[in-house]
Amino acid sequence: MRFDIISAVPNLLHSPFEHSIIKRAQERELIEIQIIDLREFGIGKHKQIDDYQFGGGAGMVMMPEPLDNAISFLKNQRAYDEVIYMTPDGLTFDQAMANRLSLKGNIMIICGHYKGIDERIRLEHVTLEISIGDFVLSGGELAAALVVDAISRIIPGVLNNESSALLDSFQDNLLAPPVYTRPADYKGMLVPDVLLSGHEAKIDDWRYEMSIKRTQERRPDLLDK
Ligand code: ADE
């Protein structure tokens, strides 16, 4: 699976993809991530990418031409299953959306900045608008990194033990059960006996019960889904 991310601040996107699981997934060619610097498509000597908004008001708007040039440059190289714009007024991202997107081949992601991108780019190119929650970030980059991470980790082979993604919180609208590692006695707090029993079926039952209990306590809304 391939992600092409258009950004006015590409440096914000490097670190999230250069470590741990996402780094390994790229090395193993399970995913490919390309970051495109919008400034390279900027206009004139100053490589301008933003301008004042028509109608007045504070905040700059990302101009249509540099975005159109960057998007067209990418579209000339390959077909895209989705052109995603990260924006607080998009559809709220969740596990179901991550699952669905993990089945795609090529995804383009546009990161907004300032007041956002010119509406005509959204109308012409964007096929899906995603918000990561009801709050406003200073740009779409952190949101894009989060979406790429959530999608990538469920691609078969990315996690060592595929079943561990299936047991994540939210995969079945349940929160994950508590987990423990050594020591079995930490400051007098003991690991539940069942986890030390070696009895797989009992352990599965216990984890399922704990998932339900935790979901009832913390996110009862999930149980209605
Ligand atoms: N850009 C700024 N805020 C955002 C949000 N909440 N989700 C996605 N992109 C954003």
Side-chain angles (χ1 to χ4, degrees):
M1 178 162 185
R2 182 185 175 101
F3 301 93
D4 288 310
I5 310 174
I6 300 175
S7 166
V9 195
N11 283 343
L12 273 176
L13 282 164
H14 289 133
S15 175
F17 305 134
E18 285 170 3
H19 306 278
S20 183
I21 290 167
I22 303 302
K23 177 188 180 194
R24 212 165 49 235
Q26 291 173 88
E27 286 169 352
R28 290 161 62 204
E29 297 182 1
L30 295 167
I31 59 169
E32 197 173 340
I33 301 171
Q34 185 186 200
I35 297 160
I36 294 96
D37 184 354
L38 182 63
R39 190 68 65 177
E40 288 178 14
F41 297 87
I43 293 174
K45 198 168 63 177
H46 299 293
K47 298 279 178 197
Q48 186 182 358
I49 56 171
D50 60 333
D51 209 338
Y52 296 102
Q53 55 175 318
F54 279 122
M60 306 292 271
V61 174
M62 288 167 74
M63 301 161 76
E65 296 97 328
L67 279 166
D68 187 33
N69 289 340
I71 294 165
S72 301
F73 168 78
L74 291 173
K75 281 186 172 174
N76 283 337
Q77 294 173 49
R78 64 186 59 78
Y80 286 87
D81 301 299
E82 296 284 5
V83 176
I84 295 172
Y85 173 46
M86 303 307 307
T87 173
D89 57 12
L91 284 174
T92 307
F93 189 64
D94 62 8
Q95 191 64 50
M97 202 192 288
N99 292 349
R100 205 157 19 81
L101 290 172
S102 75
L103 303 174
K104 308 279 183 189
N106 298 319
I107 287 184
M108 190 191 305
I109 303 180
I110 302 164
C111 302
H113 257 273
Y114 323 111
K115 276 282 169 195
I117 68 175
D118 189 286
E119 185 68 15
R120 291 162 292 186
I121 291 296
R122 296 168 79 159
L123 295 173
E124 186 182 1
H125 289 294
V126 172
T127 60
L128 177 63
E129 302 191 330
I130 298 181
S131 164
I132 60 160
D134 291 342
F135 43 82
V136 181
L137 299 165
S138 47
E141 282 78 7
L142 298 180
L146 178 154
V147 164
V148 170
D149 185 292
I151 294 171
S152 297
R153 62 190 295 288
I154 47 180
I155 291 172
V158 168
L159 293 185
N160 290 334
N161 176 1
E162 267 180 49
S163 67
S164 74
L166 296 176
L167 292 178
D168 284 343
S169 284
F170 303 113
Q171 273 302 3
D172 45 11
N173 284 326
L174 290 176
L175 300 182
V179 293
Y180 298 86
T181 185
R182 287 188 291 185
D185 180 345
Y186 171 67
K187 295 183 178 174
M189 291 180 278
L190 303 181
V191 172
D193 281 340
V194 62
L195 296 179
L196 309 174
S197 69
H199 195 303
E200 254 180 64
K202 280 192 184 156
I203 292 172
D204 285 349
D205 286 349
W206 180 85
R207 286 185 170 146
Y208 185 62
E209 275 169 36
M210 288 297 124
S211 279
I212 291 182
K213 181 164 177 275
R214 204 155 253 205
T215 310
Q216 270 163 349
E217 285 166 2
R218 299 180 183 202
R219 291 291 306 276
D221 57 298
L222 291 175
L223 295 172
D224 300 333
K225 283 193 181 173

